[in-house]
Amino acid sequence: MKVNKDFLMKYKSVLGLIVFSVIMAFVNDRFLTLSNVLNIFRQTSINAIIAAGMTFVILTGGIDLSVGSIVAITGAVVAALIAGGMNVVLAVLIGLITGLLAGAVNGIIINKGKVQPFIATLAIMTLLRGATLVFTKGKPISIGYEKNAEIFNKIGAGYFLGIPIPIYILVAVFIAAYYILKHTRLGRYTYAIGGNEEASKLSGINTQRIKTYIYAISGVLAALAGIIITARLSSAQPTAGSGYELDAIAAVVLGGTSLAGGVGSVIGTVVGALIIGVLSNALNLMNVTSYYQLMAKGIVILIAVLLDRKDR
Amino acid sequence: MKKILEMKNISKEFPGVKALSGVNLTIYHGEVMALLGENGAGKSTLMKILTGVYQKTAGEIYLNGKLVKFNSINDSQKAKIGIIHQELNLIPNLTIAENIFLGREPINTFKKIDWNKLYSEADQLLDLLNMKISSKELVINLSIGQRQMVEIAKTLSLDAQIIIMDEPTDALTDKETESLFKVIRSLRSQGKSIVYISHRLEEIFQICDRATILRDGQFIEEKEVKDLDQNEIIEKMVGRKISEQFPTVKVKKGNVALEVNGLTNKFVKNVSFKLQQGEILGIAGLMGSGRTELAKTICGAIKKESGEILIEGERVNISSTQEAIKKGINYVSEDRKKDGLVLGLSVKENMSLSSLKEFTNQFSKIDSIEEEKVVDYYIKSINIKTPSKNQLIKNLSGGNQQKVCISKSLMCKPKILILDEPTRGIDVGAKKEIYDLINNLKKEGLSIIMISSEITEILGMSDRILVMHEGRISGELPENEATQETIMSYAVGIKEEK
Ligand SMILES: Nc1ncnc2c1ncn2[C@@H]1O[C@H](COP(=O)(O)OP(=O)(O)OP(=O)(O)O)[C@@H](O)[C@H]1O
Ligand SMILES: [Mg+2]
């Protein structure tokens, strides 16, 4: 009996996801169709990619509020480059570097300026949102209709073997994130810093450098998400990505990663992102308006966090 | 003698570990009961069961003859049982007084905290413990020893009838220990009962009336201290005879490995010394004399203002622990919970934390097979008691945690090893193992600095002894001139070399 209970608690988010999906499959016959399932994954991919980066940050005991703004600025930059006729690979690369730099700046402010992650990334979030509005003059930037725009559009809207491209990107990101956390020094140090930063430092870990890497990873992944969105919509919206930081944090927390740092996994984060994705998809299928959807999301997060609390 | 509390046939199982099986403990009115056993014998676990922190798997607890059950530390506090945990639990950014009365602050009729009363009562408690410090001081500014005294004051303020002290002198200076003993004696004469856990056996004879001995989670015996001698205790704890504690190991000393010239900052003043290969340099001194700060300055954790450090004759610039480790200097901290361990990680992950580079291939993948091989080697060779290398470090007993800390440094293959209180909280058997280990390292040509407050240990192990007083080196003693008295007189600053 006891073993059973431990098992239930450990895998409660996965179990919750499965139970909810099974119920939905019975309630609505459109839910368990191939196209809908692919749809769920595609819609989830944006949040999940950002959340993968957020997992690293939260594992070190930090937080990154700037991801939503990084989505927007990257989207705007890349859209402008594509519209200007630039080669897709080059434009995407520049977009990713934009995110990397923004993330690294977060890391440097936190480390060298000794500023709390919450405050540092809040400032960068505001600054980058402003920068995006200035850059776009508050209007959407279309990627245009040239050949390169057509290719670029595939990143967000294309299919390969019947499966949307963003899903491949998501899978690649998660394999990489899992591998880094589980099998590399960077991953081990991420957990160590979140668990006890002082001891990590005295153990000879360059904690500042590692943290800068971590925020840079978060920035790159947010940029990647920004590129996918822009590609899919064929244009960059100045308000793109607002509120995404909270969805990403929600996915990480639903996945069982502790905000205090040191404990958690990226697999949990996928599950967390899928819970959010499945929930909004289900509510959409049942024609629930987005206002109620928000309320439902809030309630699910609350339940998950309360369950987690009993865990300890 | 009147029994006030009896624990009968207590068993406790953790997943994969049988920590206690059928243990008895009786607490007598107005007596000090020693609870003895090796690291991991189950002493702390037994006390956590008594105070309701853990729930027992089997057995009964009788308080004044009545069967009781404590579901939480609250329950045991209500029954007037107080505990000073081995791991300190103070809030660093509050004052001493706020910590002592946390959750029980005196308030006036308008629910406002009565600060005057809070601080005056706290000051009285500190006075009782002979602590010359204001209770308005923030805990963050205190040494570990002082924090320990604050914990003791906190328990005293609870007016407990039974007071459990889990290795209270672990981090205390001799003077502080003496004040603590005074307090214990006066508590005893007031009819209070004390359970006293310590690995310093000489203390048992000074302060305890009876002793209960555990081994591997089993009850061995309860006896009056006057009918016991040290060897008998050790034998019962360890289950075998232990050979001489400090065998003399003669090693031909090599070149100068480390030279420190005029090292100065806020904590240390103009410190100079040399350390040879194959030498153990002991650093003695009182708590707060700057020994730890000296070590941390050498290994780059604290900035130096002036002075120079030479490794094998070459001037080096060390500005972080990372560089120190790269240059072959490794430091094992005195405060394992704060500076040594990542409690949420496993034994393996903690041990390899400093040397992880050695186990990564060109694709920065950790070679876990190689990593586990080395971790297993250390677990075996210095006898770390853990059900598995993947056990969380926080579930290990204090002494075994300490061994993991030392292994972590050894895994970096250092040239110079600085050990700060290396045997704090370690039992006699394991101490001997650690001493043998240190001697073996010396034989391999390692240079070792050993900071310790245990004078017997300093005397027994060191080839040469430096004594520190207020951030300076007040004396240097070759092995044959060092005695307890000379060390003490340099340590308190009565004597100073010029
Ligand atoms: N929460 C826990 N989960 C799993 N095992 C535990 C836990 N707490 C203690 N143990 C195990 O129980 C045994 C007894 O540990 P305990 O801390 O009581 O030893 P101790 O006698 O106090 O040792 P020390 O002198 O080193 O403090 C050890 O083997 C330890 O690893
Ligand atoms: Mg203990």
Side-chain angles (χ1 to χ4, degrees):
Chain A
M1 199 56 217
K2 183 141 191 331
V3 176
N4 259 336
K5 202 177 143 216
D6 284 350
F7 182 82
L8 282 179
M9 284 314 277
K10 189 157 177 215
Y11 296 104
K12 58 182 179 296
S13 35
V14 184
L15 290 172
L17 180 61
I18 293 171
V19 169
F20 184 72
S21 303
V22 169
I23 294 174
M24 266 317 289
F26 281 106
V27 172
N28 194 310
D29 51 8
R30 268 187 304 159
F31 181 79
L32 207 62
T33 56
L34 179 65
S35 71
N36 190 50
V37 169
L38 288 178
N39 201 16
I40 291 175
F41 273 95
R42 190 177 47 72
Q43 283 168 349
T44 303
S45 63
I46 299 294
N47 183 26
I49 288 170
I50 300 173
M54 189 69 81
T55 308
F56 282 83
V57 172
I58 290 182
L59 278 175
T60 63
I63 195 113
D64 187 353
L65 298 181
S66 68
V67 286
S69 298
I70 295 178
V71 165
I73 189 103
T74 313
V77 167
V78 175
L81 292 175
I82 296 287
M86 187 184 267
N87 171 286
V88 172
V89 176
L90 201 58
V92 167
L93 213 60
I94 292 175
L96 293 177
I97 290 172
T98 310
L100 181 101
L101 289 178
V105 167
N106 276 328
I108 290 166
I109 296 173
I110 289 163
N111 291 320
K112 300 290 174 205
K114 310 254 180 283
V115 180
Q116 298 268 334
F118 188 98
I119 307 294
T121 57
L122 180 68
I124 294 298
M125 159 179 156
T126 314
L127 191 150
L128 288 182
R129 179 64 63 190
T132 311
L133 287 168
V134 170
F135 184 75
T136 61
K137 304 194 178 65
K139 295 189 207 79
I141 299 180
S142 165
I143 61 170
Y145 304 95
E146 301 297 325
K147 183 96 178 82
N148 67 339
E150 227 170 82
I151 302 171
F152 180 68
N153 172 258
K154 293 256 181 331
I155 298 175
Y159 284 79
F160 179 69
L161 303 176
I163 294 173
I165 303 285
I167 296 181
Y168 289 102
I169 300 177
L170 172 68
V171 170
V173 164
F174 268 91
I175 290 175
Y178 177 83
Y179 180 83
I180 290 175
L181 280 177
K182 193 95 182 167
H183 293 295
T184 71
R185 259 190 293 156
L186 181 62
R188 191 70 70 74
Y189 292 167
T190 302
Y191 284 98
I193 290 172
N196 187 344
E197 190 161 345
E198 190 58 30
S200 304
K201 209 183 288 168
L202 282 173
S203 297
I205 298 174
N206 189 338
T207 52
Q208 299 204 344
R209 187 190 310 159
I210 300 293
K211 280 200 292 183
T212 305
Y213 287 166
I214 298 294
Y215 282 91
I217 288 177
S218 178
V220 168
L221 291 179
L224 185 57
I227 291 167
I228 297 172
I229 297 170
T230 311
R232 180 165 171 73
L233 299 178
S234 291
S235 74
Q237 307 290 326
T239 54
S242 48
Y244 281 22
E245 60 282 347
L246 299 182
D247 277 343
I249 295 167
V252 173
V253 172
L254 280 176
T257 297
S258 154
L259 278 179
V263 196
S265 74
V266 74
I267 296 180
T269 301
V270 196
V271 176
L274 279 174
I275 290 176
I276 296 175
V278 168
L279 185 72
S280 37
N281 178 271
L283 296 173
N284 269 335
L285 288 181
M286 293 191 294
N287 290 323
V288 178
T289 63
S290 63
Y291 302 164
Y292 283 107
Q293 286 197 20
L294 271 180
M295 289 176 66
K297 205 156 85 182
I299 290 167
V300 167
I301 293 172
L302 209 56
I303 292 172
V305 176
L306 287 174
L307 277 176
D308 225 23
R309 211 178 54 101
K310 278 224 184 79
D311 230 9
R312 298 199 189 109
Chain B
M1 262 285 130
K2 199 176 127 213
K3 297 175 179 179
I4 64 169
L5 187 130
E6 277 182 283
M7 299 181 82
K8 283 191 178 160
N9 267 315
I10 305 289
S11 296
K12 173 73 189 173
E13 282 173 38
F14 293 110
V17 190
K18 195 152 177 118
L20 295 170
S21 51
V23 169
N24 302 323
L25 175 73
T26 310
I27 301 173
Y28 299 85
H29 182 84
E31 282 198 5
V32 183
M33 170 63 87
L35 184 57
L36 302 173
E38 285 186 288
N39 295 131
K43 306 175 295 290
S44 298
T45 304
L46 188 65
M47 292 302 99
K48 284 182 181 159
I49 288 172
L50 177 55
T51 49
V53 177
Y54 290 157
Q55 298 309 310
K56 54 192 182 296
T57 317
E60 297 103 46
I61 302 177
Y62 297 91
L63 180 63
N64 294 317
K66 268 206 299 272
L67 187 67
V68 288
K69 188 165 188 309
F70 300 137
N71 289 319
S72 70
I73 192 133
N74 249 333
D75 288 356
S76 64
Q77 271 180 6
K78 272 189 207 126
K80 296 209 174 299
I81 301 176
I83 182 160
I84 300 160
H85 282 290
Q86 192 170 3
E87 311 88 22
L88 303 180
N89 295 305
L90 298 172
I91 300 174
N93 285 315
L94 295 183
T95 62
I96 295 179
E98 285 170 318
N99 266 289
I100 292 178
F101 291 105
L102 194 66
R104 302 171 291 120
E105 294 83 358
I107 46 175
N108 66 16
T109 32
F110 303 110
K111 296 265 176 200
K112 179 184 168 294
I113 294 180
D114 186 344
W115 292 107
N116 289 333
K117 192 166 169 205
L118 180 86
Y119 284 110
S120 70
E121 284 186 10
D123 279 329
Q124 274 171 29
L125 284 167
L126 294 185
D127 218 35
L128 197 70
L129 293 170
N130 226 336
M131 261 184 101
K132 289 174 189 55
I133 190 165
S134 157
S135 67
K136 291 195 171 112
E137 185 67 63
L138 294 181
V139 164
I140 200 166
N141 298 329
L142 303 184
S143 68
I144 313 186
Q146 290 171 322
R147 289 181 196 208
Q148 186 81 50
M149 295 305 261
V150 174
E151 284 274 2
I152 293 168
K154 188 171 172 177
T155 312
L156 290 181
S157 76
L158 283 168
D159 188 33
Q161 276 308 310
I162 299 173
I163 299 171
I164 300 158
M165 302 186 174
D166 197 347
E167 301 190 35
T169 53
D170 208 29
L172 298 190
T173 60
D174 289 348
K175 245 203 185 132
E176 287 168 328
T177 303
E178 213 23 73
S179 333
L180 175 67
F181 285 0
K182 255 190 219 140
V183 173
I184 293 178
R185 289 194 189 100
S186 101
L187 290 171
R188 176 167 62 184
S189 63
Q190 293 164 33
K192 306 209 161 157
S193 309
I194 287 153
V195 179
Y196 190 86
I197 300 178
S198 177
H199 288 297
R200 300 187 176 171
L201 295 184
E202 67 278 3
E203 294 176 357
I204 306 306
F205 297 96
Q206 287 171 33
I207 196 76
C208 299
D209 301 296
R210 286 173 213 257
T212 295
I213 300 174
L214 306 182
R215 182 167 74 229
D216 289 336
Q218 312 240 347
F219 174 81
I220 302 298
E221 81 169 343
E222 183 206 298
K223 220 170 171 180
E224 289 199 40
V225 168
K226 64 174 167 23
D227 301 331
L228 277 167
D229 65 42
Q230 188 144 341
N231 287 334
E232 188 182 346
I233 293 181
I234 293 174
E235 227 178 288
K236 294 215 158 102
M237 271 169 59
V238 185
R240 64 193 144 82
K241 279 206 164 67
I242 289 209
S243 55
E244 199 201 343
Q245 277 262 328
F246 302 109
T248 31
V249 178
K250 281 276 164 259
V251 173
K252 200 166 157 286
K253 284 182 206 142
N255 300 334
V256 174
L258 175 74
E259 185 176 344
V260 172
N261 286 326
L263 208 59
T264 301
N265 59 20
K266 206 174 130 205
F267 308 100
V268 296
K269 306 278 171 251
N270 198 17
V271 170
S272 305
F273 65 86
K274 282 182 187 160
L275 173 68
Q276 282 172 286
Q277 289 167 346
E279 183 183 34
I280 299 178
L281 178 65
I283 301 188
L286 301 180
M287 197 87 34
S289 58
R291 296 168 303 170
T292 294
E293 287 76 8
L294 173 61
K296 284 193 172 174
T297 307
I298 293 173
C299 76
I302 300 179
K303 271 207 177 68
K304 66 169 198 268
E305 275 156 21
S306 60
E308 55 172 12
I309 296 171
L310 293 90
I311 295 178
E312 289 169 351
E314 208 175 300
R315 212 186 139 142
V316 291
N317 196 4
I318 295 171
S319 60
S320 70
T321 333
Q322 196 193 12
E323 274 170 55
I325 291 174
K326 236 185 248 162
K327 303 238 156 73
I329 303 183
N330 238 286
Y331 170 67
V332 180
S333 160
E334 61 174 339
D335 187 346
R336 55 178 171 261
K337 204 176 161 192
K338 183 168 148 283
D339 292 342
L341 299 168
V342 183
L343 292 175
L345 292 184
S346 67
V347 171
K348 175 184 88 179
E349 290 162 328
N350 270 286
M351 264 168 89
S352 61
L353 200 55
S354 286
S355 54
L356 212 49
K357 244 189 205 122
E358 310 291 316
F359 308 112
T360 29
N361 66 15
Q362 66 268 42
F363 309 111
S364 26
K365 181 175 186 300
I366 299 170
D367 180 353
S368 26
I369 297 175
E370 193 56 31
E371 181 190 12
E372 289 180 5
K373 220 164 78 190
V374 180
V375 167
D376 278 335
Y377 167 79
Y378 280 101
I379 289 180
K380 230 170 117 193
S381 73
I382 65 171
N383 200 8
I384 297 172
K385 241 181 242 161
T386 171
S388 126
K389 54 183 165 283
N390 295 317
Q391 175 78 309
L392 289 184
I393 192 91
K394 65 176 168 212
N395 293 338
L396 258 58
S397 74
N400 284 304
Q401 289 181 351
Q402 180 69 0
K403 289 188 192 173
V404 172
C405 286
I406 297 181
S407 323
K408 178 171 74 174
S409 280
L410 292 181
M411 280 175 67
C412 296
K413 306 229 164 40
K415 286 186 268 189
I416 297 153
L417 185 63
I418 307 179
L419 301 167
D420 198 351
E421 307 285 359
T423 63
R424 171 173 291 166
I426 291 195
D427 69 57
V428 269
K431 257 185 192 166
K432 167 86 171 115
E433 286 165 22
I434 299 262
Y435 296 146
D436 288 346
L437 182 76
I438 296 175
N439 278 327
N440 281 338
L441 296 171
K442 168 175 156 181
K443 272 187 227 161
E444 287 165 21
L446 211 74
S447 308
I448 295 161
I449 295 177
M450 190 176 82
I451 299 171
S452 174
S453 298
E454 269 191 57
I455 293 197
T456 40
E457 170 173 297
I458 283 270
L459 286 170
M461 293 297 295
S462 317
D463 296 312
R464 195 155 50 94
I465 297 167
L466 298 179
V467 189
M468 287 189 73
H469 175 66
E470 291 179 351
R472 293 168 200 285
I473 292 184
S474 57
E476 180 179 336
L477 302 160
E479 194 188 5
N480 49 12
E481 283 174 27
T483 63
Q484 191 139 352
E485 290 71 35
T486 45
I487 291 179
M488 274 323 284
S489 55
Y490 282 119
V492 296
I494 299 173
K495 235 167 136 180
E496 180 143 11
E497 278 182 350
K498 236 325 37 126

